[in-house]
Short mmCIF file of all heavy atoms in Angstrom, two decimals:
data_model
loop_
_atom_site.label_atom_id
_atom_site.label_comp_id
_atom_site.label_asym_id
_atom_site.label_seq_id
_atom_site.Cartn_x
_atom_site.Cartn_y
_atom_site.Cartn_z
N LEU B 36 73.33 72.24 58.58
CA LEU B 36 73.03 72.84 57.28
C LEU B 36 74.29 72.94 56.44
O LEU B 36 74.28 72.65 55.23
CB LEU B 36 72.43 74.24 57.47
CG LEU B 36 71.01 74.30 58.03
CD1 LEU B 36 70.60 75.75 58.25
CD2 LEU B 36 70.04 73.63 57.08
N LYS B 37 75.40 73.34 57.06
CA LYS B 37 76.66 73.46 56.34
C LYS B 37 77.09 72.13 55.76
O LYS B 37 77.65 72.05 54.66
CB LYS B 37 77.74 74.00 57.28
CG LYS B 37 79.13 74.07 56.68
CD LYS B 37 80.10 74.62 57.69
CE LYS B 37 81.51 74.63 57.11
NZ LYS B 37 82.05 73.28 56.92
N SER B 38 76.81 71.05 56.49
CA SER B 38 77.21 69.72 56.03
C SER B 38 76.30 69.21 54.92
O SER B 38 76.75 68.48 54.03
CB SER B 38 77.18 68.74 57.21
OG SER B 38 78.04 69.17 58.24
N ALA B 39 75.02 69.57 54.96
CA ALA B 39 74.06 69.03 54.00
C ALA B 39 73.96 69.85 52.72
O ALA B 39 73.79 69.30 51.64
CB ALA B 39 72.67 68.91 54.65
N LEU B 40 74.05 71.18 52.85
CA LEU B 40 73.87 72.05 51.69
C LEU B 40 75.19 72.17 50.94
O LEU B 40 76.04 72.98 51.29
CB LEU B 40 73.38 73.44 52.13
CG LEU B 40 71.97 73.48 52.71
CD1 LEU B 40 71.66 74.87 53.24
CD2 LEU B 40 70.94 73.07 51.66
N GLY B 41 75.35 71.36 49.91
CA GLY B 41 76.60 71.36 49.18
C GLY B 41 76.40 71.09 47.71
O GLY B 41 75.44 71.56 47.08
N ALA B 42 77.32 70.29 47.17
CA ALA B 42 77.36 70.05 45.73
C ALA B 42 76.09 69.38 45.22
O ALA B 42 75.73 69.53 44.04
CB ALA B 42 78.57 69.19 45.39
N GLY B 43 75.38 68.62 46.06
CA GLY B 43 74.18 67.94 45.61
C GLY B 43 73.09 68.89 45.15
O GLY B 43 72.21 68.50 44.37
N LEU B 44 73.15 70.14 45.62
CA LEU B 44 72.12 71.11 45.24
C LEU B 44 72.09 71.33 43.74
O LEU B 44 71.02 71.55 43.16
CB LEU B 44 72.40 72.44 45.96
CG LEU B 44 71.39 73.56 45.80
CD1 LEU B 44 70.06 73.16 46.43
CD2 LEU B 44 71.90 74.84 46.43
N LEU B 45 73.23 71.27 43.07
CA LEU B 45 73.31 71.53 41.64
C LEU B 45 72.56 70.49 40.82
O LEU B 45 72.19 70.76 39.67
CB LEU B 45 74.77 71.56 41.20
CG LEU B 45 75.66 72.63 41.84
CD1 LEU B 45 77.10 72.48 41.37
CD2 LEU B 45 75.14 74.02 41.55
N SER B 46 72.33 69.31 41.36
CA SER B 46 71.73 68.21 40.61
C SER B 46 70.24 68.03 40.85
O SER B 46 69.62 67.17 40.23
CB SER B 46 72.45 66.90 40.93
OG SER B 46 73.81 66.97 40.56
N PHE B 47 69.65 68.82 41.74
CA PHE B 47 68.24 68.60 42.05
C PHE B 47 67.30 68.92 40.88
O PHE B 47 66.32 68.19 40.67
CB PHE B 47 67.85 69.38 43.30
CG PHE B 47 67.81 68.52 44.52
CD1 PHE B 47 68.98 67.99 45.05
CD2 PHE B 47 66.61 68.19 45.13
CE1 PHE B 47 68.95 67.16 46.15
CE2 PHE B 47 66.57 67.37 46.25
CZ PHE B 47 67.75 66.85 46.76
N PRO B 48 67.52 69.98 40.08
CA PRO B 48 66.65 70.15 38.91
C PRO B 48 66.72 68.96 37.96
O PRO B 48 65.69 68.54 37.41
CB PRO B 48 67.20 71.43 38.26
CG PRO B 48 67.80 72.19 39.39
CD PRO B 48 68.41 71.14 40.28
N TRP B 49 67.92 68.41 37.75
CA TRP B 49 68.08 67.22 36.91
C TRP B 49 67.34 66.03 37.52
O TRP B 49 66.71 65.24 36.80
CB TRP B 49 69.56 66.91 36.76
CG TRP B 49 69.86 65.63 36.07
CD1 TRP B 49 69.86 65.37 34.73
CD2 TRP B 49 70.25 64.39 36.69
NE1 TRP B 49 70.22 64.07 34.48
CE2 TRP B 49 70.45 63.44 35.67
CE3 TRP B 49 70.43 63.99 38.01
CZ2 TRP B 49 70.83 62.13 35.92
CZ3 TRP B 49 70.82 62.70 38.28
CH2 TRP B 49 71.00 61.78 37.24
N ALA B 50 67.40 65.89 38.85
CA ALA B 50 66.70 64.79 39.51
C ALA B 50 65.19 64.94 39.34
O ALA B 50 64.47 63.95 39.15
CB ALA B 50 67.07 64.76 40.99
N PHE B 51 64.67 66.18 39.42
CA PHE B 51 63.25 66.41 39.20
C PHE B 51 62.86 66.00 37.79
O PHE B 51 61.78 65.44 37.57
CB PHE B 51 62.90 67.89 39.43
CG PHE B 51 62.61 68.22 40.87
CD1 PHE B 51 63.49 67.85 41.88
CD2 PHE B 51 61.47 68.90 41.21
CE1 PHE B 51 63.23 68.15 43.21
CE2 PHE B 51 61.19 69.22 42.53
CZ PHE B 51 62.07 68.84 43.53
N SER B 52 63.75 66.27 36.83
CA SER B 52 63.47 65.87 35.45
C SER B 52 63.46 64.36 35.32
O SER B 52 62.58 63.79 34.67
CB SER B 52 64.54 66.47 34.53
OG SER B 52 64.42 65.99 33.21
N ARG B 53 64.43 63.68 35.96
CA ARG B 53 64.51 62.24 35.89
C ARG B 53 63.33 61.57 36.59
O ARG B 53 62.90 60.47 36.20
CB ARG B 53 65.81 61.76 36.53
CG ARG B 53 67.07 62.18 35.79
CD ARG B 53 67.27 61.35 34.55
NE ARG B 53 67.67 59.99 34.87
CZ ARG B 53 67.77 59.02 33.97
NH1 ARG B 53 67.49 59.26 32.71
NH2 ARG B 53 68.15 57.81 34.33
N ALA B 54 62.79 62.23 37.61
CA ALA B 54 61.64 61.67 38.34
C ALA B 54 60.35 61.77 37.53
O ALA B 54 59.38 61.08 37.84
CB ALA B 54 61.47 62.37 39.67
N GLY B 55 60.35 62.62 36.51
CA GLY B 55 59.16 62.74 35.68
C GLY B 55 58.34 63.97 35.97
O GLY B 55 57.25 64.13 35.44
N GLY B 56 58.82 64.86 36.83
CA GLY B 56 58.08 66.08 37.10
C GLY B 56 58.10 66.47 38.55
O GLY B 56 58.65 65.77 39.41
N VAL B 57 57.49 67.62 38.83
CA VAL B 57 57.53 68.21 40.17
C VAL B 57 56.79 67.36 41.20
O VAL B 57 57.31 67.08 42.29
CB VAL B 57 56.96 69.64 40.13
CG1 VAL B 57 56.81 70.20 41.54
CG2 VAL B 57 57.85 70.54 39.29
N HIS B 58 55.57 66.93 40.88
CA HIS B 58 54.74 66.23 41.85
C HIS B 58 55.42 64.94 42.33
O HIS B 58 55.49 64.67 43.54
CB HIS B 58 53.36 65.91 41.26
CG HIS B 58 52.53 67.12 41.02
ND1 HIS B 58 51.33 67.09 40.33
CD2 HIS B 58 52.72 68.41 41.37
CE1 HIS B 58 50.81 68.30 40.29
NE2 HIS B 58 51.64 69.13 40.90
N THR B 59 55.93 64.17 41.40
CA THR B 59 56.58 62.91 41.77
C THR B 59 57.82 63.15 42.61
O THR B 59 58.04 62.49 43.64
CB THR B 59 56.96 62.11 40.51
OG1 THR B 59 55.78 61.90 39.73
CG2 THR B 59 57.57 60.77 40.88
N ALA B 60 58.65 64.12 42.19
CA ALA B 60 59.90 64.38 42.90
C ALA B 60 59.65 64.87 44.32
O ALA B 60 60.31 64.42 45.27
CB ALA B 60 60.74 65.39 42.12
N VAL B 61 58.70 65.78 44.49
CA VAL B 61 58.41 66.30 45.83
C VAL B 61 57.83 65.20 46.72
O VAL B 61 58.15 65.11 47.92
CB VAL B 61 57.45 67.50 45.75
CG1 VAL B 61 56.99 67.92 47.13
CG2 VAL B 61 58.13 68.67 45.03
N THR B 62 57.00 64.34 46.15
CA THR B 62 56.46 63.22 46.92
C THR B 62 57.56 62.29 47.41
O THR B 62 57.57 61.88 48.58
CB THR B 62 55.46 62.41 46.07
OG1 THR B 62 54.40 63.26 45.64
CG2 THR B 62 54.89 61.25 46.86
N VAL B 63 58.51 61.99 46.53
CA VAL B 63 59.64 61.14 46.94
C VAL B 63 60.48 61.84 48.00
O VAL B 63 60.96 61.21 48.95
CB VAL B 63 60.50 60.77 45.71
CG1 VAL B 63 61.73 59.98 46.14
CG2 VAL B 63 59.69 59.97 44.71
N GLU B 64 60.66 63.14 47.87
CA GLU B 64 61.40 63.91 48.87
C GLU B 64 60.75 63.78 50.25
O GLU B 64 61.43 63.53 51.26
CB GLU B 64 61.45 65.39 48.47
CG GLU B 64 62.66 65.80 47.70
CD GLU B 64 62.75 67.31 47.61
OE1 GLU B 64 61.79 67.93 47.12
OE2 GLU B 64 63.78 67.86 48.03
N MET B 65 59.45 63.98 50.31
CA MET B 65 58.75 63.93 51.59
C MET B 65 58.80 62.54 52.19
O MET B 65 58.97 62.38 53.41
CB MET B 65 57.29 64.36 51.39
CG MET B 65 57.12 65.78 50.88
SD MET B 65 57.88 67.02 51.96
CE MET B 65 56.90 66.81 53.44
N PHE B 66 58.66 61.50 51.35
CA PHE B 66 58.76 60.13 51.84
C PHE B 66 60.17 59.84 52.37
O PHE B 66 60.33 59.25 53.44
CB PHE B 66 58.42 59.17 50.70
CG PHE B 66 58.58 57.72 51.06
CD1 PHE B 66 57.65 57.07 51.83
CD2 PHE B 66 59.70 57.01 50.63
CE1 PHE B 66 57.79 55.73 52.18
CE2 PHE B 66 59.86 55.68 50.96
CZ PHE B 66 58.91 55.03 51.74
#
Side-chain angles (χ1 to χ4, degrees):
L36 289 176
K37 176 180 177 291
S38 302
L40 292 174
L44 185 65
L45 299 177
S46 298
F47 260 68
W49 172 80
F51 274 51
S52 173
R53 294 285 288 173
V57 172
H58 292 171
T59 303
V61 172
T62 301
V63 176
E64 266 192 304
M65 299 302 296
F66 176 77

